[in-house]
Amino acid sequence: MIMLYGADGSARPLAAAEPIDVCPDETVWIDLHCPTRDEETLVERLLGIAVPTRDELKDIEPSSRLYSENGAIYMTASVVWRAESEQPELVDVGFVLAKDRLVTIRYAEPKSISLFVGAFPRCVDGRWSGMKVLSRLLETISDRNAEILEMAERKVDGISRQVFSANVREGQRSRAFPQAILFHIGEEQRLVAKTRDSLASLYRLLTFFYALPVLQEDKDMRELCRTITRDVQSLSEHANFVSGNITFLLDASLGFINLEQNAIIKIFSIASVVFLPPTLAASVYGMNFKVMPELEWTFGYPFALCVMVVSAVVPFFFFRWKGWL
C-alpha cells in the first residue's frame, strides 16, 4: 500500500495502477507498507530512485544500511514491534530522502509509526519537508522506545516484589512459582534486549544523518537531530540499567531455588542420620546367632525398643541444639 502525505497534513492512498507520472508537489512523505513489486516500481518511476527490497532491508552490514546513491540518502533502522505481546520483535524500516521527500519502506505496523501517522495532520504545516518529517519520525520512535523501557521497568519492579515477598521468605508459595518467575524474567529480558538493539541502530542512523551536509545547513534540524541523539544515548544507558536489574533478579531467583533444594537435601540428610542408630540397633538384634543373651531375657524386647528410641531422640535434640533443624 502507498500513502502520500502532504505538507498541509493531507493523506491519500495511491494505487499502483493509477495513471500518474509526476509526484504531487505538496507531497513530503511517501509511506510504503508491505509494498508489492508494482508499487515499488511506481515510486521508483516517480522519484527516479531505487527502492530497497525486503531482503536488502534485512542486511546488517553498515554499508548496506547507511549510504548515499544517485543523490538519494538511504538509511535503515530496527524498530520494536509488538512490544505488548509475549513475543516482541524487531522490524527493519527503510528511510530514503530523495528530492526533499521522505520515503519509508516497512513490512509491519510498529506502534511508533502508527502514532506518528495519527499525529501527522495536527503537527505539519506548509513549511515541512522530507527531512523534517524524518527527524520527527525518528523522535517518535525514540519516545516509543522510552515508553517500552518504562513498561519493562514497571514489570521488572513487580517481579522484584514477588521474588522478595514475605511468602517467598517463609516458603509459602506454589510449586509453579519458580517456573512462572523465570518465564516472566525471560520475557522482560527479551523485550529490553530488542529495545537495546533498536536504540543501537537508531544511534548509528542518527550519527550518519547528523553528518550529512544537507542537515548541517539547517540549524533547527541540526539541533533537533542532536537532541534526539542525546535522548537515544541516555535511553541506551537506561536500558543497560534495566538489563542489569533483570540479571540481578534472575540470579536472585536461581539463588532462592538453590536454597530450597539445599533445604530439602538437608532434611533428607538429617533424617537419614537420625534413623541410622535405630536401624543399627534393629539390625544387631535381628541377627540369628545362637548365643545372644537378650534372646532369653524377659525384658529383651522392650530394652531393644528403648535403645532404638533413645538412639533416634538423642541425635534429634543434638541437631536442634546445634541449630541444624
Side-chain angles (χ1 to χ4, degrees), residues 89-172:
E89 297 181 10
L90 286 178
V91 58
D92 295 314
V93 179
F95 305 93
V96 183
L97 278 175
K99 298 181 179 180
D100 204 25
R101 295 184 177 92
L102 172 66
V103 180
T104 55
I105 307 98
R106 55 194 176 94
Y107 292 87
E109 189 73 28
K111 189 173 181 179
S112 54
I113 297 183
S114 300
L115 292 173
F116 184 77
V117 169
F120 184 79
R122 301 190 302 270
C123 300
V124 298
D125 54 45
R127 295 169 297 176
W128 273 49
S129 63
M131 188 170 59
K132 188 171 184 179
V133 174
L134 174 60
S135 300
R136 293 300 182 183
L137 180 55
L138 293 176
E139 184 181 31
T140 303
I141 295 173
S142 175
D143 293 342
R144 174 57 181 165
N145 282 334
E147 292 177 1
I148 294 173
L149 287 177
E150 290 177 0
M151 178 179 64
E153 192 171 16
R154 288 194 298 268
K155 291 183 179 180
V156 169
D157 186 60
I159 295 173
S160 178
R161 287 195 297 268
Q162 295 181 46
V163 170
F164 298 103
S165 64
N167 290 338
V168 173
R169 292 196 299 269
E170 298 170 3
Q172 300 174 356

Coordinates of all heavy atoms in Angstrom, one line a residue, residues 89-172:
E89 N 9.3 -8.3 18.6 CA 10.2 -8.5 17.5 C 10.7 -7.2 17.1 O 10.3 -6.1 17.4 CB 9.4 -9.2 16.4 CG 8.9 -10.6 16.7 CD 8.2 -11.2 15.5 OE1 8.3 -10.6 14.4 OE2 7.5 -12.2 15.7
L90 N 11.8 -7.3 16.2 CA 12.3 -6.1 15.6 C 12.0 -6.1 14.1 O 12.1 -7.2 13.5 CB 13.9 -6.1 15.7 CG 14.4 -5.7 17.1 CD1 15.9 -5.8 17.1 CD2 14.0 -4.3 17.5
V91 N 11.6 -5.0 13.6 CA 11.3 -4.9 12.1 C 12.2 -3.8 11.6 O 12.4 -2.8 12.2 CB 9.8 -4.6 11.9 CG1 9.4 -3.3 12.6 CG2 9.5 -4.5 10.4
D92 N 12.7 -4.1 10.4 CA 13.6 -3.2 9.7 C 12.8 -2.2 8.9 O 12.0 -2.6 8.1 CB 14.6 -3.9 8.8 CG 15.6 -4.8 9.6 OD1 16.1 -4.3 10.6 OD2 15.8 -5.9 9.3
V93 N 13.0 -0.9 9.1 CA 12.3 0.1 8.4 C 13.3 0.9 7.6 O 14.3 1.4 8.1 CB 11.5 1.1 9.4 CG1 10.8 2.2 8.6 CG2 10.5 0.3 10.2
G94 N 13.0 1.1 6.3 CA 13.9 1.8 5.4 C 13.5 3.3 5.3 O 12.3 3.5 5.2
F95 N 14.4 4.2 5.3 CA 14.2 5.6 5.1 C 15.0 6.1 3.9 O 16.2 5.9 3.9 CB 14.5 6.4 6.4 CG 13.9 5.9 7.6 CD1 14.5 5.0 8.5 CD2 12.6 6.4 8.0 CE1 13.9 4.6 9.6 CE2 12.0 6.0 9.2 CZ 12.7 5.1 10.0
V96 N 14.3 6.7 3.0 CA 15.0 7.3 1.8 C 14.7 8.7 1.7 O 13.5 9.1 1.6 CB 14.6 6.5 0.5 CG1 15.4 7.0 -0.7 CG2 14.8 5.0 0.7
L97 N 15.7 9.6 1.7 CA 15.5 11.0 1.4 C 15.8 11.3 0.0 O 17.0 11.1 -0.4 CB 16.4 11.9 2.3 CG 15.8 12.1 3.8 CD1 16.9 12.8 4.6 CD2 14.5 12.9 3.7
A98 N 14.9 11.7 -0.8 CA 15.1 12.0 -2.2 C 14.2 13.1 -2.7 O 13.0 13.2 -2.4 CB 14.8 10.7 -3.1
K99 N 14.9 14.1 -3.3 CA 14.1 15.3 -3.8 C 13.3 16.0 -2.8 O 12.1 16.3 -3.0 CB 13.3 14.9 -5.0 CG 14.1 14.3 -6.2 CD 13.2 14.0 -7.4 CE 14.0 13.4 -8.5 NZ 13.2 13.1 -9.7
D100 N 13.9 16.1 -1.6 CA 13.2 16.8 -0.4 C 12.0 16.1 0.0 O 11.0 16.7 0.5 CB 12.9 18.2 -0.8 CG 12.8 19.1 0.5 OD1 13.4 18.7 1.5 OD2 12.1 20.1 0.5
R101 N 11.9 14.8 -0.3 CA 10.8 14.0 0.2 C 11.3 12.8 0.9 O 12.4 12.3 0.7 CB 9.9 13.5 -1.0 CG 9.2 14.6 -1.8 CD 8.3 14.0 -2.8 NE 7.6 15.1 -3.5 CZ 8.0 15.7 -4.6 NH1 9.1 15.4 -5.2 NH2 7.2 16.6 -5.2
L102 N 10.5 12.3 1.9 CA 10.9 11.1 2.6 C 10.1 9.9 2.1 O 8.8 10.0 1.9 CB 10.6 11.3 4.1 CG 10.8 10.0 5.0 CD1 12.2 9.6 5.0 CD2 10.2 10.3 6.4
V103 N 10.8 8.8 1.9 CA 10.1 7.5 1.5 C 10.4 6.5 2.6 O 11.6 6.3 3.0 CB 10.6 7.0 0.2 CG1 9.9 5.7 -0.2 CG2 10.4 8.0 -0.9
T104 N 9.4 5.9 3.2 CA 9.6 4.9 4.2 C 9.1 3.6 3.6 O 8.1 3.5 3.0 CB 8.8 5.2 5.5 OG1 7.4 5.4 5.2 CG2 9.4 6.4 6.2
I105 N 9.9 2.5 3.9 CA 9.5 1.2 3.4 C 9.5 0.3 4.6 O 10.5 0.1 5.4 CB 10.6 0.6 2.4 CG1 10.8 1.6 1.3 CG2 10.1 -0.7 1.9 CD1 12.0 2.5 1.4
R106 N 8.4 -0.4 4.9 CA 8.2 -1.2 6.1 C 7.3 -2.4 5.7 O 6.4 -2.3 4.9 CB 7.6 -0.4 7.2 CG 6.3 0.3 6.9 CD 6.0 1.4 8.0 NE 4.8 2.1 7.7 CZ 3.6 1.8 8.1 NH1 3.4 0.7 8.8 NH2 2.6 2.6 7.7
Y107 N 7.5 -3.5 6.5 CA 6.7 -4.7 6.3 C 6.0 -5.1 7.6 O 5.8 -6.3 7.8 CB 7.6 -5.8 5.7 CG 8.1 -5.5 4.3 CD1 9.2 -4.8 4.1 CD2 7.3 -5.9 3.2 CE1 9.7 -4.5 2.8 CE2 7.8 -5.7 1.9 CZ 8.9 -4.9 1.7 OH 9.3 -4.7 0.4
A108 N 5.7 -4.1 8.4 CA 5.0 -4.4 9.7 C 4.4 -3.0 10.1 O 4.5 -2.0 9.4 CB 5.9 -4.9 10.7
E109 N 3.7 -3.0 11.2 CA 3.0 -1.8 11.7 C 3.5 -1.5 13.1 O 2.7 -1.7 14.1 CB 1.5 -2.1 11.7 CG 0.6 -0.8 11.9 CD 0.6 0.2 10.8 OE1 0.8 -0.3 9.6 OE2 0.5 1.3 11.1
P110 N 4.7 -1.0 13.2 CA 5.2 -0.6 14.6 C 4.3 0.5 15.2 O 3.8 1.3 14.4 CB 6.6 -0.2 14.4 CG 7.0 -0.7 13.0 CD 5.7 -0.8 12.2
K111 N 4.1 0.4 16.5 CA 3.2 1.4 17.1 C 3.7 2.8 17.0 O 3.0 3.8 16.9 CB 3.0 1.0 18.6 CG 1.9 1.9 19.3 CD 1.7 1.4 20.7 CE 0.6 2.2 21.3 NZ 0.2 1.7 22.7
S112 N 5.1 2.9 17.0 CA 5.7 4.3 16.9 C 5.3 4.9 15.5 O 4.9 6.1 15.5 CB 7.2 4.2 16.9 OG 7.7 3.3 16.0
I113 N 5.3 4.2 14.5 CA 4.9 4.8 13.2 C 3.4 5.0 13.1 O 2.9 6.1 12.6 CB 5.3 3.9 12.0 CG1 6.8 3.7 12.0 CG2 4.8 4.4 10.7 CD1 7.4 2.9 10.8
S114 N 2.6 4.2 13.7 CA 1.1 4.4 13.8 C 0.8 5.7 14.6 O -0.1 6.4 14.2 CB 0.5 3.2 14.5 OG 0.7 2.0 13.7
L115 N 1.6 5.9 15.7 CA 1.3 7.1 16.5 C 1.7 8.3 15.7 O 1.0 9.4 15.7 CB 2.2 7.0 17.8 CG 1.8 6.0 18.8 CD1 2.8 5.9 19.9 CD2 0.4 6.3 19.4
F116 N 2.8 8.2 14.9 CA 3.2 9.4 14.1 C 2.2 9.7 13.0 O 1.9 10.8 12.7 CB 4.6 9.1 13.5 CG 5.2 10.3 12.7 CD1 5.7 11.4 13.4 CD2 5.1 10.3 11.4 CE1 6.2 12.5 12.7 CE2 5.6 11.4 10.6 CZ 6.2 12.5 11.3
V117 N 1.7 8.6 12.4 CA 0.7 8.8 11.3 C -0.6 9.5 11.9 O -1.1 10.4 11.3 CB 0.3 7.4 10.7 CG1 -0.9 7.6 9.8 CG2 1.5 6.9 9.9
G118 N -1.0 9.1 13.1 CA -2.1 9.7 13.7 C -2.0 11.1 14.1 O -2.9 11.9 14.0
A119 N -0.7 11.5 14.5 CA -0.5 12.9 14.9 C 0.0 13.7 13.7 O 0.0 15.0 13.9 CB 0.6 12.9 16.0
F120 N 0.3 13.2 12.6 CA 0.8 13.9 11.5 C -0.1 15.1 11.0 O 0.4 16.2 10.8 CB 1.1 13.0 10.3 CG 1.7 13.6 9.1 CD1 3.1 13.9 9.1 CD2 1.0 14.0 8.0 CE1 3.7 14.5 8.0 CE2 1.6 14.6 6.9 CZ 3.0 14.8 6.9
P121 N -1.4 14.9 10.8 CA -2.2 16.0 10.4 C -2.2 17.2 11.3 O -2.4 18.3 10.9 CB -3.6 15.4 10.2 CG -3.4 13.9 10.1 CD -2.2 13.7 10.9
R122 N -2.0 16.9 12.6 CA -2.1 18.0 13.6 C -0.8 18.8 13.8 O -0.8 19.8 14.4 CB -2.5 17.4 15.0 CG -3.9 16.7 15.0 CD -4.3 16.4 16.4 NE -3.3 15.5 17.1 CZ -3.3 14.2 17.1 NH1 -4.3 13.6 16.4 NH2 -2.4 13.5 17.7
C123 N 0.3 18.2 13.3 CA 1.6 18.8 13.5 C 2.2 19.5 12.3 O 3.0 20.4 12.5 CB 2.6 17.7 14.0 SG 2.1 16.8 15.5
V124 N 1.9 19.1 11.1 CA 2.5 19.6 10.0 C 2.0 21.0 9.6 O 1.0 21.4 10.1 CB 2.3 18.7 8.7 CG1 2.9 17.3 9.0 CG2 0.8 18.6 8.4
D125 N 2.9 21.7 8.9 CA 2.5 23.0 8.3 C 3.1 23.1 6.9 O 3.8 22.2 6.5 CB 2.9 24.2 9.2 CG 4.4 24.1 9.5 OD1 5.2 23.9 8.6 OD2 4.8 24.3 10.7
G126 N 2.8 24.1 6.2 CA 3.3 24.2 4.9 C 4.8 24.3 4.7 O 5.3 24.1 3.6
R127 N 5.5 24.5 5.8 CA 7.0 24.6 5.7 C 7.7 23.2 5.9 O 8.9 23.1 5.9 CB 7.5 25.6 6.7 CG 7.0 27.0 6.4 CD 7.3 27.9 7.6 NE 6.6 27.5 8.8 CZ 6.8 28.1 10.0 NH1 7.6 29.1 10.1 NH2 6.1 27.6 11.0
W128 N 6.9 22.2 6.1 CA 7.5 20.9 6.4 C 8.2 20.3 5.1 O 7.7 20.6 4.0 CB 6.5 19.9 6.9 CG 6.3 20.0 8.4 CD1 6.1 21.1 9.1 CD2 6.3 18.9 9.3 NE1 6.0 20.8 10.5 CE2 6.1 19.4 10.6 CE3 6.4 17.5 9.2 CZ2 6.1 18.6 11.8 CZ3 6.4 16.7 10.3 CH2 6.2 17.3 11.6
S129 N 9.3 19.6 5.3 CA 10.0 18.9 4.2 C 10.2 17.5 4.6 O 9.9 17.0 5.7 CB 11.3 19.6 4.0 OG 12.1 19.5 5.1
G130 N 10.7 16.7 3.7 CA 11.0 15.3 3.9 C 12.0 15.1 5.1 O 11.9 14.2 5.9
M131 N 13.0 16.0 5.2 CA 14.0 15.9 6.2 C 13.4 16.2 7.6 O 13.7 15.5 8.6 CB 15.1 16.9 6.0 CG 16.3 16.8 6.9 SD 17.7 17.7 6.4 CE 17.0 19.4 6.4
K132 N 12.4 17.1 7.7 CA 11.8 17.4 8.9 C 10.8 16.3 9.3 O 10.7 15.9 10.5 CB 11.0 18.7 8.8 CG 10.4 19.2 10.2 CD 9.9 20.6 10.1 CE 9.4 21.0 11.5 NZ 8.9 22.4 11.5
V133 N 10.2 15.7 8.3 CA 9.3 14.5 8.6 C 10.2 13.4 9.2 O 9.8 12.7 10.2 CB 8.6 14.1 7.4 CG1 7.8 12.8 7.6 CG2 7.6 15.1 6.9
L134 N 11.3 13.2 8.6 CA 12.2 12.1 9.1 C 12.7 12.4 10.5 O 12.7 11.5 11.4 CB 13.4 12.0 8.2 CG 14.5 11.0 8.6 CD1 14.0 9.6 8.8 CD2 15.7 11.0 7.6
S135 N 13.0 13.6 10.8 CA 13.5 14.0 12.1 C 12.4 13.8 13.2 O 12.7 13.2 14.2 CB 14.0 15.4 12.2 OG 15.0 15.7 11.3
R136 N 11.2 14.2 12.8 CA 10.1 14.0 13.8 C 9.7 12.5 13.9 O 9.3 12.1 15.0 CB 8.9 14.8 13.3 CG 9.1 16.3 13.4 CD 9.4 16.8 14.8 NE 9.5 18.2 14.9 CZ 9.8 18.9 16.0 NH1 10.0 18.2 17.1 NH2 9.9 20.2 15.9
L137 N 9.8 11.8 12.9 CA 9.5 10.4 12.9 C 10.6 9.6 13.8 O 10.2 8.8 14.6 CB 9.5 9.8 11.5 CG 9.2 8.3 11.4 CD1 7.9 7.9 12.1 CD2 9.2 7.9 9.9
L138 N 11.8 10.0 13.7 CA 12.9 9.4 14.5 C 12.6 9.8 16.0 O 12.9 9.0 16.9 CB 14.2 9.8 14.0 CG 14.7 9.3 12.7 CD1 16.0 9.9 12.3 CD2 14.8 7.8 12.6
E139 N 12.2 11.0 16.2 CA 11.9 11.4 17.5 C 10.7 10.6 18.1 O 10.8 10.2 19.3 CB 11.5 12.9 17.6 CG 11.3 13.5 18.9 CD 10.9 14.9 18.9 OE1 10.3 15.4 17.9 OE2 11.2 15.7 19.8
T140 N 9.7 10.3 17.3 CA 8.6 9.5 17.8 C 9.1 8.1 18.1 O 8.6 7.5 19.1 CB 7.5 9.5 16.7 OG1 7.1 10.8 16.4 CG2 6.3 8.7 17.2
I141 N 9.9 7.5 17.3 CA 10.5 6.2 17.5 C 11.3 6.2 18.8 O 11.2 5.2 19.6 CB 11.3 5.7 16.3 CG1 10.4 5.5 15.1 CG2 12.0 4.4 16.7 CD1 11.2 5.2 13.8
S142 N 12.1 7.2 19.1 CA 12.8 7.3 20.3 C 11.9 7.4 21.5 O 12.1 6.7 22.5 CB 13.8 8.5 20.2 OG 14.4 8.7 21.5
D143 N 10.8 8.2 21.4 CA 9.9 8.3 22.5 C 9.2 7.0 22.8 O 8.9 6.6 23.9 CB 8.9 9.4 22.2 CG 9.5 10.8 22.2 OD1 10.6 11.0 22.7 OD2 8.8 11.7 21.6
R144 N 8.9 6.3 21.7 CA 8.2 5.0 21.9 C 9.2 4.0 22.6 O 8.7 3.2 23.5 CB 7.8 4.4 20.5 CG 7.3 3.0 20.5 CD 6.1 2.9 21.4 NE 5.6 1.5 21.5 CZ 4.7 1.0 22.4 NH1 4.3 1.8 23.4 NH2 4.3 -0.2 22.3
N145 N 10.5 4.0 22.3 CA 11.4 3.2 23.0 C 11.5 3.5 24.5 O 11.6 2.6 25.3 CB 12.8 3.3 22.4 CG 12.9 2.5 21.1 OD1 12.2 1.5 20.8 ND2 13.8 3.0 20.2
A146 N 11.3 4.8 24.8 CA 11.3 5.2 26.2 C 10.1 4.7 26.9 O 10.2 4.2 28.0 CB 11.3 6.8 26.3
E147 N 8.9 4.7 26.2 CA 7.7 4.1 26.8 C 7.9 2.6 27.0 O 7.5 2.0 28.0 CB 6.5 4.3 25.9 CG 6.1 5.8 25.8 CD 5.0 6.0 24.8 OE1 4.5 4.9 24.2 OE2 4.5 7.1 24.6
I148 N 8.5 1.9 26.1 CA 8.8 0.5 26.2 C 9.6 0.2 27.4 O 9.4 -0.8 28.2 CB 9.4 -0.1 24.9 CG1 8.3 0.0 23.8 CG2 9.8 -1.6 25.1 CD1 8.9 -0.4 22.4
L149 N 10.7 1.0 27.6 CA 11.6 0.8 28.7 C 10.9 1.1 30.1 O 11.1 0.3 31.0 CB 12.8 1.7 28.6 CG 13.9 1.3 27.6 CD1 15.0 2.3 27.5 CD2 14.4 -0.1 27.9
E150 N 10.0 2.1 30.1 CA 9.2 2.3 31.3 C 8.3 1.2 31.6 O 8.1 0.8 32.8 CB 8.4 3.6 31.1 CG 9.3 4.9 31.1 CD 8.4 6.1 30.8 OE1 7.2 6.0 30.6 OE2 9.0 7.2 30.8
M151 N 7.7 0.6 30.6 CA 6.8 -0.5 30.8 C 7.5 -1.7 31.3 O 7.1 -2.4 32.2 CB 6.1 -0.9 29.4 CG 5.2 -2.1 29.5 SD 4.4 -2.4 27.9 CE 5.8 -2.7 26.9
A152 N 8.7 -2.0 30.7 CA 9.6 -3.1 31.2 C 10.0 -2.9 32.6 O 10.0 -3.8 33.4 CB 10.7 -3.3 30.2
E153 N 10.3 -1.6 32.9 CA 10.8 -1.3 34.3 C 9.7 -1.6 35.3 O 10.0 -2.1 36.4 CB 11.3 0.1 34.4 CG 12.1 0.4 35.6 CD 12.8 1.8 35.6 OE1 12.4 2.6 34.7 OE2 13.7 2.0 36.4
R154 N 8.5 -1.2 35.0 CA 7.4 -1.4 35.9 C 7.1 -2.9 36.1 O 6.9 -3.4 37.2 CB 6.1 -0.8 35.4 CG 6.0 0.7 35.4 CD 4.6 1.2 35.2 NE 4.2 0.9 33.9 CZ 4.3 1.7 32.8 NH1 4.9 2.8 32.9 NH2 3.8 1.3 31.6
K155 N 7.2 -3.7 35.0 CA 7.1 -5.1 35.1 C 8.2 -5.8 36.0 O 8.0 -6.7 36.8 CB 7.0 -5.8 33.8 CG 5.7 -5.4 33.0 CD 5.7 -6.1 31.7 CE 4.4 -5.8 30.9 NZ 4.3 -6.5 29.6
V156 N 9.4 -5.3 35.7 CA 10.6 -5.8 36.5 C 10.4 -5.5 38.0 O 10.7 -6.3 38.8 CB 11.9 -5.2 35.9 CG1 13.0 -5.6 36.9 CG2 12.2 -5.8 34.6
D157 N 9.9 -4.3 38.3 CA 9.6 -3.9 39.7 C 8.6 -4.9 40.3 O 8.7 -5.3 41.5 CB 9.2 -2.5 39.8 CG 9.1 -2.0 41.2 OD1 10.1 -2.0 41.9 OD2 8.0 -1.6 41.6
G158 N 7.5 -5.2 39.5 CA 6.5 -6.1 40.0 C 7.1 -7.5 40.3 O 6.8 -8.2 41.3
I159 N 8.0 -8.0 39.4 CA 8.6 -9.3 39.6 C 9.5 -9.2 40.8 O 9.5 -10.2 41.6 CB 9.4 -9.6 38.3 CG1 8.5 -9.8 37.1 CG2 10.3 -10.9 38.5 CD1 9.3 -10.0 35.8
S160 N 10.2 -8.1 41.0 CA 11.1 -8.0 42.2 C 10.3 -8.1 43.5 O 10.7 -8.7 44.4 CB 11.8 -6.6 42.1 OG 12.6 -6.5 43.3
R161 N 9.1 -7.5 43.5 CA 8.2 -7.6 44.7 C 7.8 -9.0 44.9 O 7.7 -9.5 46.1 CB 7.0 -6.6 44.6 CG 7.4 -5.2 44.7 CD 6.1 -4.4 44.9 NE 5.2 -4.4 43.8 CZ 5.2 -3.6 42.8 NH1 6.1 -2.6 42.8 NH2 4.4 -3.7 41.8
Q162 N 7.5 -9.7 43.9 CA 7.1 -11.1 44.0 C 8.3 -12.0 44.5 O 8.1 -12.9 45.4 CB 6.6 -11.7 42.7 CG 5.3 -11.0 42.2 CD 4.9 -11.7 40.9 OE1 4.8 -12.9 40.8 NE2 4.5 -10.8 40.0
V163 N 9.5 -11.8 44.0 CA 10.6 -12.6 44.3 C 11.0 -12.4 45.8 O 11.3 -13.3 46.5 CB 11.8 -12.2 43.4 CG1 13.1 -12.9 43.9 CG2 11.5 -12.7 42.0
F164 N 10.9 -11.1 46.3 CA 11.4 -10.8 47.6 C 10.2 -10.6 48.6 O 10.3 -9.9 49.6 CB 12.3 -9.6 47.6 CG 13.5 -9.7 46.8 CD1 13.7 -9.2 45.6 CD2 14.6 -10.5 47.3 CE1 14.8 -9.4 44.8 CE2 15.7 -10.7 46.6 CZ 15.9 -10.1 45.4
S165 N 9.1 -11.2 48.3 CA 7.9 -11.0 49.2 C 8.1 -11.9 50.4 O 8.9 -12.8 50.5 CB 6.6 -11.4 48.4 OG 6.7 -12.8 48.1
A166 N 7.2 -11.6 51.4 CA 7.2 -12.4 52.7 C 6.9 -13.8 52.5 O 7.5 -14.7 53.1 CB 6.3 -11.7 53.7
N167 N 6.0 -14.1 51.5 CA 5.6 -15.5 51.3 C 6.8 -16.3 50.8 O 6.9 -17.5 51.1 CB 4.5 -15.6 50.2 CG 3.2 -15.1 50.8 OD1 3.0 -15.0 52.0 ND2 2.3 -14.6 49.9
V168 N 7.7 -15.7 50.0 CA 8.9 -16.4 49.5 C 9.8 -16.6 50.6 O 10.4 -17.7 50.8 CB 9.6 -15.5 48.4 CG1 10.9 -16.2 48.0 CG2 8.6 -15.4 47.2
R169 N 10.0 -15.7 51.5 CA 10.9 -15.8 52.7 C 10.4 -16.9 53.6 O 11.2 -17.7 54.2 CB 11.0 -14.5 53.4 CG 11.8 -13.4 52.7 CD 12.2 -12.3 53.6 NE 11.1 -11.7 54.3 CZ 10.5 -10.6 53.8 NH1 10.8 -10.1 52.7 NH2 9.4 -10.1 54.5
E170 N 9.1 -17.0 53.7 CA 8.5 -18.0 54.6 C 8.2 -19.4 53.9 O 7.7 -20.3 54.6 CB 7.2 -17.5 55.2 CG 7.4 -16.2 56.1 CD 6.1 -15.6 56.5 OE1 5.1 -16.2 56.1 OE2 6.1 -14.6 57.1
G171 N 8.6 -19.5 52.7 CA 8.4 -20.7 51.9 C 6.9 -21.0 51.5 O 6.6 -22.1 51.2
Q172 N 6.0 -20.0 51.6 CA 4.6 -20.2 51.3 C 4.3 -19.7 49.9 O 3.9 -18.6 49.6 CB 3.8 -19.3 52.3 CG 4.0 -19.7 53.8 CD 3.2 -18.8 54.7 OE1 2.6 -17.9 54.2 NE2 3.2 -19.1 56.0

